[in-house]
Amino acid sequence: LFQRHHNNANKVQPAYILVSQHHRPPRSLPKQNTMKLSSLLVIIAAAGQSHAWTPGRPATSLGSKVTSNVNDGIKRHNAKNVALSRPLSVRGGTALDMTPASSLVTTLVPRIGILTSTLLYFSPFTSVRQASSNESLDDLNPVPLAIMAVSSLCWLVYGLSVRDPFVTLSNVPGSIASIWYVMTVLPLLKGAQLQTTQNIVVGLSAVTINLWTWLALTNKSLEQVSSALGLFASGLFIVLSGSPLSTIKTVLSTKNSKSILTQLTFAQITNTALWSVYGLAIKDKFVYGPNMTGLGFGLIQLALKLVFPSK
């Protein structure tokens, strides 16, 4: 059969071409003969890649081997199509379908978030500079500044560990600014207020350094290291977001919310709202978790500012 068709055609198409064309006949061959030829070539090609024609092996194993080879090829082809059609899977959660809307959320929103994070970190700048000029804190609360100095550094390290440029860049200015806040405010503190601020800075720094050392010296995977860093940074950010409420007793007793910085409150609400959206988009619980909590604390601060205006 093969010799007859070979004499009738100048060139015989390879078997894999005929298979890929779903046995469509070449124009130079009759249709019914081409179907027979293509079937024969499939058998020859499959047998050449296997041991189906090994002497002493039953002839019935040939058909099953060819069928298995063809089915395996179809499965691999279908699997490739399925893999290409699957939505993109991202860190920390289920798959994220990269539609134009979600792509916008994961690119534009964090870029704006870098700006709002910078505004958040620089919101106490005017008050700190004024306190330095007057050589008096007045109603400035130093607790958020002390926590901010450590929290921003922890978020910077977490961003570097997961190689997220948005998380990293949003905390570079804050790390520098918050260190300046602490260095400027410390000489103005006295008594219990000085002791509390020093304890916060030294205590949180000690925990952070020990955590980094432990993670570096143990045989933890990069994913485990990033998870530990993210969990610790998230806890610090939640404490930082709620720290302005440390004066809530004074606010309620005096009915004056002057100790809660207005700029910090609005910056916190805007910043945490944007980062919550970004965290939900990339399914990173260490991003959306603390920011949603910080958003709640920011709304409480805003409510206090509205109910008890600054005097």
Side-chain angles (χ1 to χ4, degrees), residues 149-159 175 208 212 229 232-233 236:
V150 183
S151 176
S152 56
L153 287 174
C154 290
W155 276 108
L156 176 60
V157 172
Y158 172 71
S175 299
T208 302
W212 291 352
L229 293 174
F232 184 67
L236 281 181

Side-chain angles (χ1 to χ4, degrees), residues 8-201:
N8 292 337
N10 293 327
K11 292 184 180 179
V12 178
Q13 293 190 16
Y16 68 89
I17 297 180
L18 293 176
V19 172
S20 65
Q21 293 177 347
H22 302 286
H23 304 290
R24 288 184 296 180
R27 295 181 181 179
S28 60
L29 297 177
K31 182 176 181 180
Q32 65 274 15
N33 293 335
T34 303
M35 295 299 294
K36 297 178 182 179
L37 174 61
S38 62
S39 300
L40 178 61
L41 291 178
V42 168
I43 296 175
I44 295 174
Q49 296 177 354
S50 66
H51 301 286
W53 283 358
T54 302
R57 179 168 296 187
T60 53
S61 64
L62 174 61
S64 61
K65 185 66 177 180
V66 171
T67 304
S68 176
N69 288 344
V70 173
N71 290 337
D72 290 344
I74 294 174
K75 290 179 181 179
R76 287 193 299 267
H77 177 73
N78 292 337
K80 182 178 180 181
N81 291 337
V82 171
L84 291 175
S85 63
R86 286 175 182 170
L88 178 63
S89 180
V90 292
R91 178 182 72 253
T94 56
L96 171 65
D97 188 5
M98 292 301 291
T99 60
S102 62
S103 179
L104 182 65
V105 170
T106 56
T107 54
L108 180 60
V109 169
R111 283 181 170 84
I112 301 176
I114 294 176
L115 176 62
T116 57
S117 294
T118 303
L119 294 176
L120 171 66
Y121 285 126
F122 279 88
S123 58
F125 180 80
T126 303
S127 299
V128 173
R129 187 177 61 178
Q130 183 177 357
S132 178
S133 300
N134 298 334
E135 296 183 353
S136 174
L137 287 181
D138 196 14
D139 291 323
L140 180 63
N141 186 3
V143 174
L145 305 179
I147 300 175
M148 184 185 297
V150 183
S151 176
S152 56
L153 287 174
C154 290
W155 276 108
L156 176 60
V157 172
Y158 172 71
L160 292 172
S161 70
V162 297
R163 296 186 177 182
D164 190 320
F166 302 120
V167 176
T168 301
L169 294 176
S170 63
N171 287 279
V172 171
S175 299
I176 299 173
S178 58
I179 293 175
W180 179 80
Y181 296 152
V182 174
M183 298 298 296
T184 304
V185 166
L186 277 178
L188 306 178
L189 299 176
K190 298 178 182 179
Q193 203 174 38
L194 173 62
Q195 187 71 28
T196 300
T197 305
Q198 288 176 334
N199 291 339
I200 291 174
V201 174

